[in-house]
Structure formats: C-alpha cells, structure tokens
Amino acid sequence: MNLNLLVIGILLLIVSYLVGVLKQTWLLAGFNEKAIRDKARLGRVVGGVFLLPLGMVFIVHSFIAYPYDQWVLVFTMIILLLSVSLYINQKLFEE
C-alpha cells in the first residue's frame, strides 16, 4: 500500500467536493473569472469530471500495485486534463 498516493487521492476528493458541490472556484488557479460564463457549471465540470475521477484513480492505485502503474497514472491525468480543458475552452468561455 502506497500511503502517499492515498493521501493525495483523499485530498483530491476533498478539493473535488469543495469545487464541485460548494462551488469554491477560487481554489482553481490559472483562469480568468471574467471570461467564464457559468461558474457553477465550471465547478461541476472540474470537480466532478476531473478531480473526482483523478482522486478515485489515486486511491485505487494506492492499494493495487502492478507493472507500469506510474504510466497509467500519468496517462489518466493527461487524458482527463485535456478533455476537461477542451470542454471548458469550447463551452464555457465567452468570446
């Protein structure tokens, strides 16, 4: 069992709850708040589609060890990040 991955996964779940349910978008860095049309939707997308699955993957990987598990984590993060970024850029930004 990898305790570091478990702690990171639990922290990601907490941030997912704060962003997705409580709409604490101030926790998200690197975006222009004035350019976002719907901050509640942004919170649901980032909290529910990015942070929640990522936290669950970290928690599962903390209990299960198999070959190349670090690469699975990296590719999962990249795929989730790209998909959420593309969705936000296409649907939530004002032009």
Side-chain angles (χ1 to χ4, degrees), residues 14-27 40 43-44:
I14 291 170
V15 173
S16 170
Y17 175 74
L18 290 173
V19 172
V21 176
L22 299 180
K23 309 298 184 254
Q24 301 293 320
T25 57
W26 61 271
L27 289 170
R44 285 192 311 267

Side-chain angles (χ1 to χ4, degrees), residues 25 28 41 44 46 54 60 66-67 75 77 85 88-89:
T25 57
L28 305 174
R41 190 170 169 191
R44 285 192 311 267
V46 173
L54 193 59
V60 167
Y66 54 90
F75 286 125
M77 286 188 281
S85 297
I88 289 172
N89 284 330

Side-chain angles (χ1 to χ4, degrees), residues 16-18 25 31-32 36 52 54 56 63 70 80 95:
S16 170
Y17 175 74
L18 290 173
T25 57
F31 76 96
N32 185 3
I36 298 293
L52 180 66
L54 193 59
M56 296 302 291
F63 292 109
Q70 294 89 2
L80 285 172
E95 297 179 32

Side-chain angles (χ1 to χ4, degrees), residues 24-87:
Q24 301 293 320
T25 57
W26 61 271
L27 289 170
L28 305 174
F31 76 96
N32 185 3
E33 290 188 28
K34 296 173 186 163
I36 298 293
R37 280 186 252 160
D38 188 4
K39 290 183 185 155
R41 190 170 169 191
L42 173 72
R44 285 192 311 267
V45 169
V46 173
V49 178
F50 179 66
L51 294 173
L52 180 66
L54 193 59
M56 296 302 291
V57 167
F58 269 83
I59 289 173
V60 167
H61 280 278
S62 70
F63 292 109
I64 300 172
Y66 54 90
Y68 306 111
D69 58 348
Q70 294 89 2
W71 288 106
V72 172
L73 282 175
V74 170
F75 286 125
T76 304
M77 286 188 281
I78 290 172
I79 290 169
L80 285 172
L81 181 63
L82 286 176
S83 62
V84 168
S85 297
L86 289 174
Y87 179 79

